[in-house]
Amino acid sequence: MGDEVARIRHTYNGGSQVELRFFLVPKYRGELENRIFRDVRWVERAKLPDYGFLDADRELVQEIAAGKIV
């Protein structure tokens, strides 16, 4: 695992809070293992905003898609 590239603290409408930490993964081998989500896939960064991300993830997704992060 590489360097931390972003840290987000988000408060949802119901008051629950989450802190998300995102790390650069310079190399990956093996198969993705989906334990939670309906769908997991590799896509071009510019297409990321076309997918339904959670509220806490949206700002980071926009920054990745625009090439501001990673």
Side-chain angles (χ1 to χ4, degrees):
M1 185 165 58
D3 295 335
E4 183 175 319
V5 295
R7 185 179 301 198
I8 297 172
R9 290 188 181 109
H10 182 80
T11 302
Y12 285 95
N13 290 337
S16 60
Q17 298 179 341
V18 63
E19 179 178 277
L20 303 170
R21 296 178 184 195
F22 297 87
F23 295 86
L24 179 64
V25 179
K27 292 183 181 182
Y28 184 83
R29 286 186 292 179
E31 297 291 321
L32 289 175
E33 184 177 336
N34 182 3
R35 296 183 180 185
I36 299 173
F37 300 102
R38 179 179 39 176
D39 190 24
V40 174
R41 64 179 74 179
W42 295 109
V43 299
E44 295 176 27
R45 72 171 60 216
K47 294 182 179 182
L48 288 172
D50 297 341
Y51 294 88
F53 286 90
L54 299 173
D55 290 344
D57 299 331
R58 288 188 183 137
E59 181 179 343
L60 177 67
V61 168
Q62 292 292 334
E63 290 181 3
I64 292 171
K68 294 180 182 177
I69 296 178
V70 184

